[in-house]
Amino acid sequence: MKTVYERADIVPLLAEIFRELGYEGTSLSRITERTGIGKGSLYHFFPGGKEEMASSVLADVDAWFEHAIYQPLRNGDAREAIAAMWTSINDYFRSGRRICLVGAFALDETRERFSAAIGDYFSRWIEALRSALMRAGCTEEQAQMLAEESVSGIQGALVLSRALDDKMVFTRSLDTLAKRLDAVMR
């Protein structure tokens, strides 16, 4: 039986391949090998080839973060949104077992190709968290510093957790960051 795909079905598959192999290591041959989707079908859904596939993956990641992280931080109860952010981030990154694709793209030659999407992802996260921290009683300067520290701490914890092959590093780091923000907001 042949599987019929929609573009939306393919994007998560591509995301995991890009996470595993990186942009440069991902070829159409590797994609077809891992997904079973023919090159013709891939070009049907992504006429722009690998670059369009990566852009679609980044847009999908962005949409998830906008809905699950940024909007609640910008518009919800500040303390509840910050608490929910830690849980959502832990779930999304599978307790440190899943790399941040945007972060990975930021570190290699791919950065220039997708610099606007990469910069926007991190800027919007920091700004949304800064906004919530200010509503929770932090000064603007303190909120900016804590937001930057939190986002960079999450990214660093992902790298360290994977490097040490110890998911508890990520979980402990999130817990430490959460406690730090909670203590400042009291």
Side-chain angles (χ1 to χ4, degrees), residues 48-81:
K50 183 169 84 167
E51 188 164 335
E52 184 178 347
M53 291 176 204
S55 292
S56 296
V57 167
L58 289 173
D60 190 61
V61 169
D62 183 72
W64 185 89
F65 271 83
E66 179 63 36
H67 174 75
I69 305 295
Y70 309 154
Q71 284 181 9
L73 286 172
R74 277 193 228 105
N75 304 319
D77 175 89
R79 293 173 195 278
E80 289 176 14

Side-chain angles (χ1 to χ4, degrees), residues 100-112:
C100 176
L101 185 61
V102 180
F105 277 19
L107 296 175
D108 68 15
E109 300 304 315
T110 309
R111 189 200 181 306
E112 293 307 313

Side-chain angles (χ1 to χ4, degrees), residues 15 28-29 43 52 64 98 102 127 133 138 164-165 182-183:
L28 286 179
S29 297
Y43 275 115
E52 184 178 347
W64 185 89
R98 180 190 223 191
V102 180
E127 176 53 33
L133 287 165
C138 293
L164 298 176
D165 194 24
D182 194 46

Side-chain angles (χ1 to χ4, degrees), residues 22-35:
Y23 183 81
E24 297 303 327
T26 299
S27 65
L28 286 179
S29 297
R30 302 291 291 274
I31 293 170
T32 59
E33 172 188 305
R34 289 171 183 246
T35 63

Side-chain angles (χ1 to χ4, degrees), residues 86 133 138 142 145-146 149-150 173-186:
W86 300 117
L133 287 165
C138 293
Q142 185 182 39
M145 179 193 68
L146 290 169
E149 179 183 311
S150 295
S173 294
L174 288 188
D175 188 50
T176 299
L177 288 165
K179 286 178 182 171
R180 171 143 163 69
L181 292 191
D182 194 46
V184 172
M185 291 186 295
R186 289 183 189 257

